[in-house]
């Protein structure tokens, strides 16, 4: 197996970056990028920490990532499984990355910068949803933002309803938990109770 070990080897294969790949990069939220953020209901949050890297999904109503100003984004931490892998990482290493997806659009939006976690009461209150407050808000300083061209989404045919995978072809969370715990977790019960548990703890 031939392994690339230097930047020179890499550049010999891929060449130099073209102007359309660099001109799109900004150090702040531009009017066009604002529209993309406001239309997105989903973002992947990438963090790093002593144990390694992590990438976690975040979803909410479109525009749930608030643009405080052109250098600052705010992301409420809604209820989840309390692993807080991303939050642990941010406390120890503030470098973060976001990847926004917009249903129906081939283009994605990438944002890199630094984050910190806030528990300011007024800020938490401003993100109240159905009577529930987030426990923290991620405040991100934007250092780099740019759109990613549509090739990956087009190749994946991601938004094509005819390409959706039948959930019956996939293992359920309960089946995975049962297998991983030698049936100490009742998988069928977990799957049966999950929809109502999720409904009651969505926010």
């Amino acid at each position: 197996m031939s392994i690339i070990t230097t930047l020179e080897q890499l550049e010999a294969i891929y060449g130099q970056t073209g102007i359309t790949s660099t001109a799109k990069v900004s150090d702040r939220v531009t009017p066009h990028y604002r529209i993309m953020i406001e239309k997105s209901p989903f973002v992947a949050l990438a963090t790093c920490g002593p144990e390694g890297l992590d990438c976690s999904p975040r979803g909410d109503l479109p525009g749930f990532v608030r643009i405080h100003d052109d250098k600052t984004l705010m992301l409420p931490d809604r209820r989840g499984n309390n692993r807080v892998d991303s939050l642990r990482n941010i406390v120890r290493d503030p470098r973060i990355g976001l990847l926004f997806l917009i249903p129906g659009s081939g283009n994605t939006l990438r944002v890199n910068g630094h984050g910190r976690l806030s528990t300011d009461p007024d800020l938490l209150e401003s993100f109240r949803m159905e009577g529930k407050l987030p426990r923290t808000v991620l405040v991100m300083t934007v250092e780099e933002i740019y759109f990613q061209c549509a090739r990956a989404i087009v190749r994946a045919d991601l938004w094509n309803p005819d390409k959706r995978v039948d959930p019956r072809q996939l293992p359920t969370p309960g089946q995975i938990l049962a297998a991983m715990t030698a049936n100490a977790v009742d998988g069928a019960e977990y799957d049966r109770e999950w929809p109502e548990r999720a409904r009651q703890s969505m926010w």
Side-chain angles (χ1 to χ4, degrees), residues 47-54 85-95:
T47 61
C48 53
E51 295 82 17
L53 304 177
D54 186 69
D85 300 294
S86 301
L87 307 187
R88 292 178 193 275
N89 283 347
I90 292 168
V91 167
R92 297 173 295 175
D93 187 331
R95 293 176 295 171

Side-chain angles (χ1 to χ4, degrees), residues 33-72:
Y33 291 154
R34 171 182 287 270
I35 295 171
M36 296 179 74
I37 293 171
E38 291 176 343
K39 296 294 184 182
S40 174
F42 180 89
V43 66
L45 168 63
T47 61
C48 53
E51 295 82 17
L53 304 177
D54 186 69
C55 188
S56 176
R58 296 289 192 271
D60 212 323
L61 302 178
F64 73 104
V65 176
R66 179 183 299 168
I67 304 170
H68 177 70
D69 57 47
D70 63 6
K71 288 290 289 183
T72 311

